[in-house]
Amino acid sequence: QVHLVESGGGLVQAGGSLKLSCVASGRTIATMAWFRQAPGKEREFVATITWNGGGTYYTDSVKGRFTISLGNAKNTAYLQMNSLKPEDTAVYYCAARMYGKGLRDLEYNYWGQGTQVTVSS
């Protein structure tokens, strides 16, 4: 089992920044990702990072604004969000999988509880 705990959400004005954290415990994981779900919309992929080499991938709408990274202890993943827009408002979830990579939520076995990010205009 893998247990994931997110933190760092909150309310910020458009153009501002937030940094989300996701602490993983339990079994060794291969890949961690961030997804988000806005009210009335389906959950969507945001970014992913591999645990062994730090390879990253982003959805187009956040490229150049968001950065996913790993902590020194390698059990924490971060999502630095800059130049936030009202359309970034959503519940953000971290997710993990034991093998390989994935861009779809169905490909992830473990999920955190989510953290709310609200961007005011």
Side-chain angles (χ1 to χ4, degrees), residues 48-71:
T48 186
I49 188 166
T50 56
W51 226 245
N52 58 359
T56 60
Y57 186 81
Y58 300 89
T59 192
D60 286 346
S61 63
V62 307
K63 285 180 181 177
R65 300 189 299 122
F66 291 11
T67 303
I68 189 170
S69 62
L70 298 175

Side-chain angles (χ1 to χ4, degrees), residues 14-111:
S17 299
L18 282 174
K19 187 174 184 177
L20 306 183
S21 300
C22 180
V23 178
S25 59
R27 297 175 62 188
T28 301
I29 61 176
T31 301
M32 182 172 282
W34 288 95
F35 289 80
R36 64 186 180 186
Q37 187 167 22
K41 295 187 177 181
E42 292 186 353
R43 188 160 53 189
E44 65 170 346
F45 167 80
V46 176
T48 186
I49 188 166
T50 56
W51 226 245
N52 58 359
T56 60
Y57 186 81
Y58 300 89
T59 192
D60 286 346
S61 63
V62 307
K63 285 180 181 177
R65 300 189 299 122
F66 291 11
T67 303
I68 189 170
S69 62
L70 298 175
N72 290 334
K74 292 285 182 78
N75 69 331
T76 304
Y78 301 101
L79 186 68
Q80 177 67 47
M81 305 185 295
N82 298 328
S83 302
L84 282 162
K85 305 175 182 180
E87 50 264 43
D88 295 317
T89 295
V91 177
Y92 283 71
Y93 298 90
C94 67
R97 54 181 287 157
M98 310 304 295
Y99 307 99
K101 305 176 184 179
L103 302 181
R104 300 179 300 165
D105 55 1
L106 294 176
E107 297 176 293
Y108 287 81
N109 308 101
Y110 303 100
W111 292 84

